[in-house]
Amino acid sequence: MPTITPLEGKTFGAVVTDVDLANLDDASWNAVEGAFHDHGCLVFPAQHLEDRAQIDFALRFGEMELLRDDPEALAVAVSNVKEDGEVYAPDEMRYRTLRGNEGWHTDSSYMPLAAKASILSAQVVPPAGGETAIADMRDAWDELDEVTRKRIEGLSAYHSLYQSQAKLGYEFETGQGYGYHTKGAPLRPLVKTHPVTGRKSLFIGRHAYAIEGMAPEAAQELLDELLIFACAPQRTYLHAWQPGDVMMWDNRCMLHRACPYDYAEARVLRHTRVAGDPASELVETGRDDRADDFRPTGTNR
Ligand code: OGA
Ligand code: MN
């Protein structure tokens, strides 16, 4: 049976050992799924999963998101090097995507259907930096002062990848990659109730760019303040990768980001993403002026 060791001194996260993710029996799977809901983030050292095994593990949690226009591409590389070993240049789209990942975010909040879980495995890690950081949004809500809680309950923010990348000076065109769509920007409550545990958490991050019914500057200020509070060091864990490690997190109640490193050094991870449940992660979309050919779609996926 898996050994589940909570991260020391943290409100979230656990290291899972005595488990082989490529060969899970029912009892082990149940323990892993339970730990996922309890801890929000799980680290599985030294798994060395093949592509297919990582996909099969993701599929246990639910339907997967297709991150490229290729039905075979259920696992994608999060990598700063091309097939031939050359690193991406700053004017290339992939470089900009990686730089974007360095801001606190939750995956696919800019899609009508947000993500349930993301699973990363490490193949090549740089000699310094390049950790992945996770922050506990359940604790952020629990520790928020009463005045702010009252102020934000009932508020909703629009999420857009066009908008978060534009803040970094990166203009993307519609159709250029996952997330650059014409379905409009989803409107998501700032306070999310977890569909399984019932716990409340802050649902924010870099893709949130406007609050319904609020002036843009005031909204941005509030979102920035909340993010700084929420991702304070006592609520974060930094995973320093070893090749073969697997880490997963619950996008419904955790934020994450990549830590900087020397982009001349190779860093190669593999990402599989589990879709949210339509009952709890599918929301209405509104206008996103940065998408060309904007088409209002309601709950279109
Ligand atoms: C991602 C992501 C963080 C990292 O793959 O969605 O944000 O550390 N990755 O590469
Ligand atoms: Mn991400």
Side-chain angles (χ1 to χ4, degrees):
M1 280 296 286
T3 302
I4 293 157
T5 310
L7 294 178
E8 214 180 306
K10 300 284 177 195
T11 53
F12 73 107
V15 179
V16 187
T17 49
D18 303 313
V19 66
D20 176 5
L21 295 184
N23 292 290
L24 278 177
D25 57 32
D26 287 349
S28 298
W29 158 245
N30 288 335
V32 167
E33 190 189 29
F36 172 68
H37 291 134
D38 288 345
H39 301 286
C41 165
L42 299 177
V43 176
F44 304 92
Q47 289 289 327
H48 299 279
L49 287 185
E50 299 291 339
D51 241 66
R52 188 65 235 178
Q54 185 170 334
I55 292 168
D56 288 341
F57 178 58
L59 284 169
R60 287 178 174 270
F61 289 88
E63 279 183 44
M64 291 177 67
E65 287 189 47
L66 202 57
L67 301 171
R68 275 198 272 125
D69 254 354
D70 169 4
E72 302 297 311
L74 287 171
V76 300
V78 175
S79 168
N80 67 334
V81 288
K82 304 176 189 178
E83 306 250 308
D84 65 4
E86 197 191 334
V87 296
Y88 287 104
D91 62 346
E92 290 185 275
M93 175 188 163
R94 289 292 293 277
Y95 177 95
R96 295 173 168 202
T97 298
L98 295 176
R99 284 297 185 194
N101 279 347
E102 292 179 10
W104 288 110
H105 66 282
T106 177
D107 287 333
S108 302
S109 67
Y110 46 78
M111 301 299 282
L113 183 64
K116 176 187 287 183
S118 297
I119 302 166
L120 284 181
S121 64
Q123 278 82 56
V124 181
V125 303
E131 303 91 342
T132 300
I134 310 288
D136 186 358
M137 294 303 105
R138 311 169 305 181
D139 190 62
W141 169 256
D142 290 347
E143 294 299 317
L144 203 59
D145 67 90
E146 204 52 45
V147 173
T148 311
R149 279 190 178 196
K150 289 234 160 63
R151 181 174 172 215
I152 68 170
E153 266 205 302
L155 293 181
S156 292
Y158 289 101
H159 292 242
S160 163
L161 185 58
Y162 293 102
Q163 304 281 348
S164 50
Q165 289 297 70
K167 281 180 204 160
L168 301 179
Y170 300 150
E171 300 284 340
F172 277 82
E173 281 166 29
T174 298
Q176 239 188 315
Y178 190 76
Y180 303 102
H181 58 73
T182 59
K183 298 166 185 172
L187 183 62
R188 303 187 176 280
L190 292 188
V191 185
K192 182 173 176 69
T193 300
H194 196 284
V196 177
T197 67
R199 276 187 78 175
K200 285 186 177 179
S201 64
L202 281 183
F203 198 84
I204 51 177
R206 62 186 288 261
H207 304 308
Y209 75 97
I211 294 176
E212 198 184 36
M214 216 167 156
E217 300 76 27
Q220 194 56 60
E221 204 176 306
L222 174 58
L223 290 169
D224 290 347
E225 277 172 22
L226 286 173
L227 198 62
I228 289 168
F229 170 80
C231 299
Q234 75 270 21
R235 271 185 281 283
T236 67
Y237 163 68
L238 220 66
H239 185 65
W241 292 98
Q242 295 293 325
D245 287 355
V246 171
M247 180 163 74
M248 70 179 302
W249 60 85
D250 189 334
N251 282 297
R252 300 165 297 187
C253 57
M254 300 283 140
L255 292 181
H256 65 280
R257 71 185 195 99
C259 297
Y261 58 100
D262 177 358
Y263 273 50
E265 303 282 355
R267 180 179 189 262
V268 183
L269 307 177
R270 189 195 299 122
H271 182 128
T272 47
R273 192 175 299 177
V274 183
D277 289 322
S280 44
E281 277 72 59
L282 182 64
V283 300
E284 275 182 47
T285 56
R287 170 169 285 282
D288 186 343
D289 291 316
R290 287 184 181 272
D292 24 277
D293 186 28
F294 172 78
R295 282 177 259 134
T297 56
T299 53
N300 183 354
R301 283 196 235 178

